[in-house]
Amino acid sequence: MGLKRKLLGVTTGAMLLCSMIGGSVLAAGHVTTGGNLQIEKDVVLDGGSIVPNQKFSFKIEPLDVQPNTKENNLEVKKGKELQGADAIQSGQFDKDTQTTDEGGKKVAKDTTAQFDFSGVQFEHNKPAIYRYKVSENAGQGTGMSYDNTKYQLDVYVDKDGNPTSLVAKKLNDQNQAEGEKVPLKFVNTYKTESLTVEKNVTGASGETEKAFEFHITVKENDSLKNGSAIQAKLHKAGTQTEDVQIVVGTEATFSLKSGEKLVVPELPKDTDYTLYETEHGQNGYTTTVTVNDQNKDNADTNREYKVVENTNKVVFTNNRDEITPTGILLNVAPYAAGVILAAFAAVLFLAKKRRNRRA
């Protein structure tokens, strides 16, 4: 008798579960109960730890279904058109966003992008599965690579038109679901580079111990906002270093002697910046500028630069060859003048003597 009661209880529980999802039983895995969809967003920080100042958006759209398609004993239908599902916003990524260490890199995480299917008018009187496609809207964020993964999202609806569960699988290029149930997650990569500004002084009369003044302005973009601070490092002779703060959108001034360099970290690819030396081509120096070992023409007036992938090295070289000391010319000048006057007097004397002989 006790065994019968236990079996009856198990059977009743199974029937109740089946009725909740329209007579189907979902296998274990990543299944969201109810109709509130949550989209996970990760940004891998490739090259640093500064979180880009960006938001991301996602799109949910109806996915075409072949006629008479069934899964788990339920009819599968093309999803209903949704209002406000073409640009579902993530939270704001910035310096306050939580990060974790994964695989030797920092990863910024957000889970605030959501869509509630309970407000969608699904058909009544017949349980069904409504199928959608979920993707990320690719943006133009500086230094950002966007996730192009597409997901199939099945919304299980009961006979009263209420969503009971959500199931996601990855889609292939033919819009066909593959693999197991997965969480709905998009992972972007934010790649940053380092900029090195180096100073060299050459020539017989080059001043290797003189500090030459420079000016740099990092311009605002989608990832770097005006007013945000970047901690650069000035490398002096030996192992000495000095911190230099660069504020985005504001000109910063620093000085370099020959052999010294400034390293600016975590600049996203395609970041624009201006850079120039105050004494470019002055005081007898010939100034040349190279960018990644390539000469930059008109660097005194063309002060615009752009961060590229991998290597960003700008070298300013001031060359001044030996100059004849001006003091020597001043010392010789009186003697030279005397010689010229004596020669002129001799010419006059000889000319007068000739005239006297003729007379």
Side-chain angles (χ1 to χ4, degrees):
M1 187 70 177
L3 178 60
K4 288 184 178 180
R5 287 180 179 176
K6 290 182 180 179
L7 291 174
L8 180 61
V10 171
T11 304
T12 303
M15 291 175 63
L16 178 61
L17 176 62
C18 289
S19 66
M20 290 176 62
I21 58 176
S24 66
V25 178
L26 294 177
H30 293 279
V31 178
T32 300
T33 302
N36 189 31
L37 175 67
Q38 180 173 281
I39 300 174
E40 299 179 35
K41 183 63 193 175
D42 287 3
V43 177
V44 178
L45 307 180
D46 185 1
S49 59
I50 295 178
V51 179
N53 200 313
Q54 289 190 19
K55 278 189 174 183
F56 304 93
S57 70
F58 312 93
K59 177 169 59 177
I60 305 174
E61 54 189 320
L63 186 61
D64 290 330
V65 176
Q66 294 294 326
N68 303 317
T69 300
K70 284 193 173 185
E71 287 188 15
N72 296 320
N73 296 320
L74 294 175
E75 181 183 1
V76 181
K77 299 182 177 183
K78 180 179 179 179
K80 298 286 186 180
E81 293 291 337
L82 305 175
Q83 295 294 323
D86 57 345
I88 302 169
Q89 293 291 313
S90 73
Q92 177 68 55
F93 278 75
D94 55 26
K95 61 183 178 60
D96 296 323
T97 302
Q98 175 189 357
T99 61
T100 61
D101 292 315
E102 297 180 11
K105 295 180 181 179
K106 288 193 175 296
V107 179
K109 294 179 175 291
D110 180 79
T111 57
T112 58
Q114 300 184 27
F115 186 85
D116 191 355
F117 282 93
S118 63
V120 180
Q121 296 296 317
F122 293 107
E123 296 177 13
H124 290 204
N125 302 320
K126 188 176 182 180
I129 299 172
Y130 290 85
R131 185 156 288 173
Y132 294 89
K133 179 168 70 174
V134 185
S135 58
E136 180 178 12
N137 295 317
Q140 301 296 322
T142 308
M144 188 67 64
S145 296
Y146 292 84
D147 191 340
N148 61 3
T149 303
K150 307 291 189 296
Y151 290 92
Q152 171 185 290
L153 177 67
D154 284 347
V155 180
Y156 284 73
V157 176
D158 65 17
K159 62 183 180 61
D160 296 320
N162 299 315
T164 60
S165 55
L166 307 173
V167 177
K169 291 183 178 181
K170 288 186 178 181
L171 287 171
N172 59 23
D173 293 338
Q174 288 74 44
N175 277 338
Q176 296 174 340
E178 293 182 335
E180 300 296 323
K181 305 175 186 68
V182 293
L184 227 161
K185 176 190 288 189
F186 295 91
V187 181
N188 289 2
T189 299
Y190 177 61
K191 185 171 177 55
T192 57
E193 311 291 346
S194 291
L195 164 66
T196 300
V197 181
E198 188 174 309
K199 181 65 186 174
N200 289 326
V201 179
T202 59
S205 60
E207 301 164 282
T208 57
E209 292 302 315
K210 177 180 177 179
F212 293 85
E213 186 178 77
F214 290 83
H215 305 270
I216 185 171
T217 304
V218 176
K219 297 185 179 181
E220 181 184 37
N221 54 44
D222 291 335
S223 300
L224 299 174
K225 296 302 180 184
N226 280 339
S228 56
I230 301 172
Q231 298 301 325
K233 189 77 70 176
L234 196 157
H235 294 260
K236 296 185 174 183
T239 59
Q240 289 184 315
T241 60
E242 181 179 309
D243 291 332
V244 176
Q245 186 179 78
I246 297 175
V247 178
V248 177
T250 302
E251 184 176 86
T253 301
F254 62 97
S255 296
L256 296 175
K257 295 180 181 180
S258 183
E260 295 182 343
K261 62 184 178 182
L262 178 76
V263 178
V264 186
E266 300 195 50
L267 295 175
K269 179 178 175 291
D270 295 328
T271 295
D272 293 312
Y273 63 97
T274 60
L275 175 65
Y276 67 97
E277 181 182 354
T278 304
E279 298 179 60
H280 187 111
Q282 297 180 15
N283 300 319
Y285 284 104
T286 299
T287 302
T288 57
V289 180
T290 61
V291 181
N292 296 336
D293 298 324
Q294 300 295 317
N295 286 330
K296 180 178 176 67
D297 296 329
N298 304 316
D300 54 335
T301 56
N302 180 15
R303 301 172 176 179
E304 301 293 328
Y305 297 80
K306 186 183 290 288
V307 175
V308 298
E309 193 169 2
N310 296 324
T311 303
N312 291 272
K313 184 178 181 181
V314 183
V315 180
F316 288 77
T317 301
N318 282 3
N319 181 76
R320 188 168 68 183
D321 292 320
E322 189 172 1
I323 300 174
T324 303
T326 56
I328 294 177
L329 293 176
L330 293 175
N331 292 334
V332 172
Y335 299 101
V339 171
I340 293 172
L341 289 174
F344 183 67
V347 170
L348 291 177
F349 174 77
L350 292 174
K352 184 176 180 181
K353 188 174 182 180
R354 286 178 181 175
R355 286 197 299 269
N356 291 337
R357 286 178 179 176
R358 290 175 182 173

